[in-house]
Amino acid sequence: VNNVESLMNIPAIVLEGGASFAEIGTDESKGPKLFCLSGNVAEPGVYEVPFGATTRELIEGAGGVDGELLGVLVGGAAGTFLRSDQLDIPLTFEDTRAAGVSLGSGVVMVFNTETDMAAIVQRIAHFFREESCGLCVPCRVGTVRQEEALVRMYEGGDQDHERGLLAELDTVLKDASICGLGQFATVAVQSAIEIGLIGAER
C-alpha cells in the first residue's frame, strides 16, 4: 500500500470492521472512491463518493457544468472521453470495464463547448511523447507519429488519411509496446476521434 487513498480507508476498516466498509459501493467495487474533478465545472476539487455514483452525479454534486457540456475525460491522460449521453455509467470497476472506459487515477475533467479540444488532445499526445522512455520502438516512434498526425489534422490536413494513420498507430502501440504507457498512449486520442470531439466532425 503506497497511496493516500488506500491509507485513508484503513481507519474506517479498523474501527468499524471490514463488513461495514464492504457495505459501501457495489459487490465488485467496495468502499468509497476519491475523484479529482477539474475543468469547466462550477466547484473543482477532490470529491469522495461511494463506488457506483455516476459521472453526472459527480458533476452535479460539484455545482454542475460551467457552460454547455461538450465532453468529459474520465481516467486522466490514459482515460476515455465521454459524450453527454454517456454520463450515467456507474463509476465502478465492473461497469466502466464493460463500457470500455478506465477509472484510472480517478481524474474527471469536464470540457465545455468553448474548449479547443484539438489543443487538449494534442497536449495529451505530447505528454505521452515526452514520457516515453524510448526503450521500445513502437512507443518511442509511435508517440511521435501520433502527435505529428494530430498537428496535421489541426492544420487542415487530409482528415481521412490522418485518422487512418492514427488507427494504425493505435493497433501497433497496443500490441507491441513493452509497458502500459505505450499501450495506453492512444486511448484518449482514439476516443476523442470516435465521439467527434476532434477531426472532420468538428
Side-chain angles (χ1 to χ4, degrees):
V1 176
N2 61 357
N3 66 79
V4 173
E5 184 175 25
S6 295
L7 291 171
M8 287 303 295
N9 286 329
I10 293 174
I13 295 172
V14 171
L15 294 174
E16 300 176 18
S20 176
F21 181 85
E23 289 177 359
I24 304 170
T26 68
D27 288 342
E28 294 184 45
S29 301
K30 301 182 186 302
K33 173 67 180 167
L34 295 177
F35 290 96
C36 182
L37 192 59
S38 62
N40 302 122
V41 63
E43 298 178 15
V46 178
Y47 290 84
E48 184 179 49
V49 296
F51 270 114
T54 66
T55 306
R56 188 182 309 280
E57 291 169 341
L58 190 62
I59 294 171
E60 289 174 352
V65 180
D66 181 11
E68 182 181 351
L69 181 67
L70 177 61
V72 178
L73 178 61
V74 176
T80 310
F81 282 98
L82 304 178
R83 300 183 305 267
S84 57
D85 63 346
Q86 297 175 301
L87 301 185
D88 294 314
I89 299 169
L91 294 172
T92 65
F93 293 118
E94 62 271 22
D95 289 298
T96 54
R97 189 185 311 116
V101 179
S102 172
L103 281 180
S105 58
V107 169
V108 177
M109 298 184 70
V110 181
F111 301 98
N112 65 21
T113 52
E114 297 181 12
T115 305
D116 183 349
M117 290 307 302
I120 295 294
V121 175
Q122 282 182 53
R123 184 174 178 180
I124 291 172
H126 183 73
F127 165 80
F128 281 102
R129 174 181 180 169
E130 290 295 307
E131 290 300 310
S132 174
C133 73
L135 181 62
C136 67
V137 173
C139 182
R140 182 176 71 242
V141 177
T143 53
V144 174
R145 296 294 174 259
Q146 175 175 248
E147 185 181 14
E148 292 173 347
L150 288 168
V151 170
R152 290 193 298 268
M153 286 180 72
Y154 185 74
E155 294 177 346
D158 186 327
Q159 299 289 306
D160 290 338
H161 173 76
E162 302 304 343
R163 285 166 64 110
L165 177 59
L166 287 166
E168 290 180 16
L169 288 168
D170 176 55
T171 300
V172 172
L173 281 161
K174 284 179 178 174
D175 288 349
S177 293
I178 292 175
C179 80
L181 186 134
Q183 293 162 11
F184 284 88
T186 61
V187 174
V189 172
Q190 285 300 304
S191 69
I193 292 173
E194 288 168 6
I195 69 173
L197 294 181
I198 61 170
E201 294 87 342
R202 297 295 297 164

